Amino acid sequence: FGLLPALIRFTLSSLNAFLSQSGAAYDAPGAEAGIAGNGMKGKEEEEGGKLGGSRAISEPEPMITDEMSTGETAGGGSPQPFVEATSKASPLPRRQQEERLLEFIDVVLTLTSTVISIPIGTSALTDCGLIPALIQTVSRDFEAAQSVRKGNAKSPFTNPGDKEGRGTAYADGLLKFVSAQAVQILEAAIVTHNSALVAFHELEGVDLLVKRLDFEIDQIKQSGNETPSSVGIEGDVEMEDAKSQDGNKDGSIDSSSSASARPLSASRRVLLFSLMNCLTVVFHQQENSSSASITSTSAAQLRKPELTNVIIDILGYVDGYGGVLGSLVGTLLSDVMNSDPQVVHYVHTSGIADAFFKMVKGEVTECSPLLGSSSPILPASAELIMAVPNVLSALALTEQGARDVKNANPFPALLDIFCSPKYVMPSSRCLLNEVGAIVGTGLDEIMRHVPSLGGIVNNAIVDTLSRIVSFGKEVVEKEKARDVPVDGAPPSREIEGLRTCLVQYAYNISQLLEQVLHHESHCGSFVDRGGLDALLELFPLLIPGGTQFLSHASCLGAPSFAKLSHLTNSGAITAVIRSISSNISSHKMIKKLTECLEKQVETLRISQGELWRQTRKAREERTGSSVAEGDVDETCGSINGILDGVPRVPLHTLEDSASNLATTDALSNFLRQFVVTEWLTNLLTSSMRVALQKSSEIGTGWGRTEREWKKLLSSKQFEDLVDELSNLHRCSMQEVCRVRTEEGYDQRESDRCCPPGTPGNNSHPALYRIRIVCPDGAVVRDGIEIDSSESVGGLEIGEIVEATERCINSSGVLRYRTRSGWVSEQTRGHGREPIAEVMEIQGLAPQNLSSGANVDDSKDSADGKGKRVECGVTDLCSMSAAIMARIQHSRTGLFAYLSRSAVSSARSLQFGSISFLEGSVGAHISSIIKILSRNIRDDFAIEGAVEAMAIALSEDMRTNANESAASAHITMYFGCMLGLLHASVFEEKREREVFNVLLLFSLLNEAGILLDFRESKASCDPGSDADLPSDGFIGAIRFVLSEGLSDMQRRALSSADSTSPEQKLSRYTAASFPPALALLRRLVSRSILTESGTNFSLAQMPPADLDKLVGGQGQIERSFHTGRFCRSLYTCVANISVEMWGDSRLANAPAHVIHPTLNLLADTMSSLKRSTQSSANTSSGASSRSRGARGDGAGVGGGGGGSGLFARRLRARRPPFEPSEDTITRLAEMGFDRDHALEALETMESNRLEVAMEYCLSHPPPSPASAERRRAAREAASASRRSREADAEASGGNDSSNNNDASRDTSNDAESSSSDGGAAGAAAAAAGAASSQAGAAVESASNDTATAAAAPSAAAANSSPANREAADG
């Protein structure tokens, strides 16, 4: 570090000498402006200059040497001047010498700033005296500036005169940049090195910076008074972009008066920024420093008039100074007040607080309805906006300060930023990058630390939200009133801009709310003030209307799943409402959403009737049937057939006519209301999930809070709403499945994949107008493939561009080709966040478009990576069906959480008689089970379904190869309903599965499967094939399997007669066969046997209470028994499996169907064996239950102990159970003693922690005598086992005969068991026999069938595009 310190010493000493002589020249009497003569006269002062006329600072001795500073000139005596020492090589005009030497100093300081950023460099340069040298430079510059001002001159540099016409602007600017760089180096050194901070304070650097800052502000004031226009100050370049430096481009708020009052040059702005930033850093660092030499405090500096006046002037003219400088002032204020709250009083009384409030609140003006009564004057600066909440929080640190902030109430003006077009794209980027969330965090801190301000902050938030809602309604009305485009003219740009603003307003305010509403007290106040109502109103307004909605929905890659209002917006609003659900009463939230859903269903019904009336003529032409005028209103109440009148052509091919316009408007309104209904249903489901989660965490069972919201779920109002939603879903899915299986649907879908210009293909428009909706913008690339293409630019959020074609790349991402390059529809990955939305489609693509497009994309396909798939626009009818299919997911979620509500309540049932009074747990469970079972039963009893099932399941139809459109759409519909049933009866939790045994019991009882629980039919054999119902969900499963096998047979026969590759499964089979097999496999799951919590409660229940609980209408006459229930269920599933396995049509099934079918048979036989063991291990009656409670018999789940030869032989045939010491240890850590843990493990014969824990919770600890008996039994069993092993080793040849004897004993035991066990054994035997008989059929199947064991485990693995899309249904 020898060269660099010497270089710094030379440059700074020379500059200081020049500035000292300049100041002396102006201080001399009669001195003229500028430096005259051939050289600079005078000598550098040895005592140093005065800091603003106050304390003298000595020369930086470590930085100045005799060799560098006292060289003799030709005239002798005086120190070598700065100019003469560096201009001997090339004599230039004096002005150029000064400019070049300043440039050299700037380069040296740039090098110094780089070195100072390294800790070791800071330490070395600080030890060499860098800090005093830099302070001396800033001081000399300050003195020179004061001297120039005192001498009534404009510059200390040589003025070349009018002959060269340049002036001293460049040199003046360079000098300010050099001073600014010196201050920045000081700041970096102070942050990195504590010794630098100490040296800085010892030399009173803070005083120097404050006085220099005050001087510059005073100069700016005088310039503002003297300069009537925006002419550059001192000839320097004025910062014309001061108003737009942070992204503002429109200048919607006239702030020219503020900018002209405080005109800034570029160099002066940099100097002000450096001074203020350095002060902020010094104040922050000195509060954290432990050095005793630092005696000055930031509060004392703030109380000085110079700094106070500077802050007030910057805050008063923040638009002229710029948002960045204003943010630094805000940061300085918040840091000083937080470090010393006693200074808060001074800030309020000195006028600083008033200036800050005035800056935030702006001026009261006549504004548009959007801006309200105040116009924000804050510059569009993200830094300043983020700093405002921190300053407000600091101003309210004291009680008086909080009262002053409350009286000033700047929060409405602050939140005006979130609904002003000045602060959103395309005008400004200041609210991007999570700025809304940062402001929300600051407001949350204010509300938590100053509760008295919580009310006005919440009021301001709700008012802003309400104004955004009002603005959204205004936008929707303008969109409705917008004229129809004529001759392809684009729509109004103004309305498009309003929609862009609305999208950003909603996203920004949602970010803010997400941070504020995570606190319970904030949520309650927000909801009471109407904030929740405003949020529920806002979401529908974000969905565009009219042809824009239809264009957007038609161009979506997956309308059944994609968000129609932008993922970022709908996701943010949904997250806010979920946060509210977590922090307010569940009863209040569910009640509010229930009321909203009721109103929304009525609104949907009105739009549905309007669509019926507008499409009446088209429907009559399509179906050939007419509806009388008097029957129109009655027909409008149903959704069935509503899509018959919707055109089967893309939107851009419709003629511009009044009838088509009325049809598209009615269709758009109906689909928008449908989407809102789906969204509200999802919110209701989410609120129920949160309520269940809170109940589980509290663990109160059936407390007052839980009773309130569950009582609401049991009310008649909620029951009617669920029935209404179920009917809507039922009719909608019928319509969806009917459209997707009608003639012509597959052809329309295949046309979309044809290249543009194909004869007869009209699915490709000539022009797409798309809007960028991703907050991060869009990346434009020069090819279709993302990874192999180069980025050629970007698009900001809100920008609207035109695209001429689109396709799908090898990653499955939809890409649009704009003039600049290719843009994606969505991001890749799990989130699938929308990037662009289509606003309008026009015209038909020309024939030669595809050939020209492939030229640009040749590099994507050259390496084999590019796979371009054409993707045309969906026709209106198919698009409508896809949107209506979205309700499948919402209703599935609703029923799943209703089911979980019943299951969680069932675990809190008390032993003995159950109360079914209103508000009791019994009434709640009974009501939920009735709602679920009734609607599920109605799902499988739609018009035409019962007749179709009866025909399809008859013996005459088993070999029928004819395909029926009616049976096809019913099959697809049943697949959807079976998926719904699966979610309703089953829940998968981490390591275990939970069944809603009550709902399953109710459904099976209605289907006539549970004859064991009816005394009059207890002797019936449930295993006979004649008992399999042909209706209900059992009949639906059989119907789906039968239709699927028929479809496989038809396709196998057609492929045998054709050489072209044929699709292995039809669309409806691929959508229905996997749900049916998945449900059957779930019904034979072992989890039903191990559902000990619910099963034990049901086993203690009298038959009359069980009948009321499941809605049996007096049919249940026997107590619940887990083994008997499971055996009946497993036998039914076994009969269905045998029926399918013995069907000759199965030989035509592909491999990926055979494999899950084999798994189903294996699971069924295993479950039958377990249920038979459970039946043998437990005998009916109270005595059996008491033995099970003592550990002598089987547990509630079965499979445990038990007496009798059959059970003993079964236990002898399998390996003895060994309790796990690890599980015992973990149970002991939970508070259970060792004997209790051992009893649980041995009784349940399972080492799973959750199973043993449930047993311990539901059974009392064993008595000492019982524990001693168990211990003795374990020791005896261990001794007996060792004795048998020794005997086996002695006589190894007797094992086979013993096994045969055991097998014969087991067979005899099974024959002597109850009729139920015999039926189960017969079913298992039948399954085995059917397996043997079907072997030949499997061997004669195709080669795919021969490899079934290695195939995927679901029919949905079919790679056909048609099969994959059928999953939408």
Side-chain angles (χ1 to χ4, degrees), residues 624-743:
S625 60
S626 60
V627 181
E629 190 68 30
D631 298 337
V632 173
D633 293 336
E634 182 178 350
T635 308
C636 292
S638 173
I639 291 183
N640 291 328
I642 197 171
L643 297 182
D644 282 334
V646 177
R648 264 69 174 170
V649 296
L651 177 64
H652 61 277
T653 62
L654 287 180
E655 297 180 357
D656 292 334
S657 63
S659 60
N660 285 338
L661 178 62
T663 299
T664 53
D665 285 344
L667 178 62
S668 172
N669 188 34
F670 169 71
L671 295 178
R672 287 178 70 251
Q673 301 303 331
F674 206 94
V675 171
V676 175
T677 304
E678 175 234 351
W679 179 70
L680 288 174
T681 306
N682 290 335
L683 284 182
L684 179 60
T685 302
S686 177
S687 299
M688 293 168 56
R689 179 184 63 81
V690 171
L692 287 169
Q693 205 169 23
K694 289 194 292 187
S695 299
S696 176
E697 292 173 356
I698 297 174
T700 56
W702 190 255
R704 181 182 62 84
T705 304
E706 186 177 12
R707 183 166 58 249
E708 287 180 353
W709 67 267
K710 287 191 174 181
K711 183 179 178 181
L712 178 61
L713 297 186
S714 308
S715 64
K716 184 67 167 59
Q717 176 189 13
F718 189 83
E719 181 179 351
D720 293 340
L721 175 63
V722 174
D723 291 344
E724 190 75 30
L725 292 175
S726 299
N727 183 62
L728 173 65
H729 168 257
R730 197 175 299 125
C731 298
S732 299
M733 293 313 300
Q734 290 184 68
E735 193 69 5
V736 169
C737 297
R738 186 180 60 81
V739 169
R740 290 182 172 177
T741 55
E742 69 181 6
E743 184 179 358

Side-chain angles (χ1 to χ4, degrees), residues 1126-1148:
C1126 293
R1127 190 171 58 254
S1128 299
L1129 173 61
Y1130 295 162
T1131 302
C1132 177
V1133 176
N1135 288 330
I1136 297 175
S1137 304
V1138 169
E1139 181 183 42
M1140 180 178 63
W1141 189 250
D1143 198 317
S1144 60
R1145 295 173 292 178
L1146 186 62
N1148 301 294

